[in-house]
């Protein structure tokens, strides 16, 4: 290497062994490479953390949207989505839509408070679940109203199932002195066309 020294255009020349020069640059290059690796690892961890948080948020949002807060079963939104998918390609009259309502449910809430009302809804949900088979759905729509999608059966058989369900629903009265019975109002609609909107 050389540089001017400011005297009559003189230059100062210096020389050193090549391995000394390369050793100096290799040392700096190694430090720079290690620093780059740490920066890349840091950015990767940040990105992975953001992706995980995004996934957790999405899961949490889906759970809130698709889960009924009282029964823990599917929400009305998820029920509607799945029903549309199921009946869209099903032959006419394959499925029947059922809506169930507890008669005078407000009295249960008034007598027992909100906790008693929720316990009744959870009791109804757990018993209804026993009567569902594969490809049949159920959700709590609002308050004490439950919607079901079931395979179509003869009217007498549907009535028998509803009667058995009501009897099992009121089985908590067996050993009680002061008994009260839950009465269920039901509506049935056999779906003739999967493209119809019935909800």
């Amino acid at each position: 290497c050389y540089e001017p020294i400011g005297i009559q255009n003189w230059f100062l020349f210096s020389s050193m062994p090549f391995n000394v020069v390369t050793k100096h640059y290799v040392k700096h290059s190694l430090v720079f490479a290690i620093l780059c690796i740490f920066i890349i690892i840091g950015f990767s961890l940040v990105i992975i953390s953001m992706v995980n948080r995004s996934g957790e948020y999405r899961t949490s949002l889906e759970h809130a949207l698709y889960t009924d807060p009282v029964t823990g079963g599917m929400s009305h939104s998820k029920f509607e989505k799945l029903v549309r998918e199921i009946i869209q390609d099903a032959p006419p009259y394959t499925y029947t839509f059922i809506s169930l309502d507890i008669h005078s449910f407000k009295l249960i809430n008034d007598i027992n408070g909100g906790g008693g009302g929720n316990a009744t809804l959870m009791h109804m949900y757990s018993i209804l679940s026993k009567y569902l088979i594969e490809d049949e759905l159920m959700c709590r729509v609002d308050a004490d109203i439950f919607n079901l999608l079931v395979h179509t059966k003869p009217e007498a058989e549907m009535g028998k199932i509803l009667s058995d369900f009501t009897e099992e629903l009121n089985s908590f009265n067996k050993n009680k002195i002061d008994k009260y019975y839950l009465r269920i109002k039901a509506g049935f609609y056999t779906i003739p066309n999967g493209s119809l909107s019935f909800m």
Side-chain angles (χ1 to χ4, degrees), residues 30-89:
L30 186 61
V31 171
F32 180 74
I34 292 172
L35 184 62
C36 287
I37 289 171
F38 275 112
I39 291 173
I40 291 170
I41 291 173
F43 273 114
S44 299
L45 291 175
V46 169
I47 291 170
I48 290 169
S49 174
M50 291 173 65
V51 169
N52 286 341
R53 286 185 181 179
S54 174
E56 290 170 4
Y57 176 74
R58 189 181 305 111
T59 302
S60 174
L61 190 63
E62 285 179 358
H63 183 269
L65 182 63
Y66 288 151
T67 305
D68 177 52
V70 176
T71 64
M74 75 172 66
S75 68
H76 189 218
S77 298
K78 186 172 184 180
F79 177 83
E80 286 188 353
K81 178 178 180 292
L82 293 177
V83 165
R84 288 191 190 98
E85 292 173 1
I86 289 173
I87 67 173
Q88 184 175 4
D89 299 320

Side-chain angles (χ1 to χ4, degrees), residues 55-193:
E56 290 170 4
Y57 176 74
R58 189 181 305 111
T59 302
S60 174
L61 190 63
E62 285 179 358
H63 183 269
L65 182 63
Y66 288 151
T67 305
D68 177 52
V70 176
T71 64
M74 75 172 66
S75 68
H76 189 218
S77 298
K78 186 172 184 180
F79 177 83
E80 286 188 353
K81 178 178 180 292
L82 293 177
V83 165
R84 288 191 190 98
E85 292 173 1
I86 289 173
I87 67 173
Q88 184 175 4
D89 299 320
Y93 306 105
T94 301
Y95 289 96
T96 296
F97 176 78
I98 302 175
S99 184
L100 301 177
D101 184 6
I102 301 176
H103 184 68
S104 300
F105 180 72
K106 186 177 182 302
L107 292 176
I108 297 173
N109 272 332
D110 291 344
I111 294 169
N112 301 303
N118 285 349
T120 302
L121 295 173
M122 291 172 68
H123 173 64
M124 182 170 174
Y125 178 84
S126 66
I127 292 176
L128 273 173
S129 299
K130 298 177 185 178
Y131 288 84
L132 298 181
I133 60 174
E134 189 176 354
D135 294 334
E136 295 185 340
L137 306 174
M138 169 184 58
C139 77
R140 185 181 73 93
V141 180
D142 183 38
D144 61 322
I145 299 173
F146 287 80
N147 284 351
L148 294 86
L149 182 76
V150 300
H151 290 281
T152 301
K153 302 171 183 66
E155 189 175 334
E157 187 177 345
M158 297 285 273
K160 175 72 166 55
I161 291 172
L162 183 60
S163 177
D164 291 345
F165 159 71
T166 305
E167 185 176 341
E168 188 173 354
L169 183 68
N170 286 293
S171 61
F172 63 85
N173 278 306
K174 284 181 181 176
N175 299 318
K176 286 195 172 186
I177 297 173
D178 297 322
K179 300 180 179 183
Y180 71 93
Y181 292 93
L182 298 172
R183 291 187 296 154
I184 303 298
K185 296 185 288 185
F188 296 81
Y189 175 70
T190 301
I191 303 168
N193 187 336

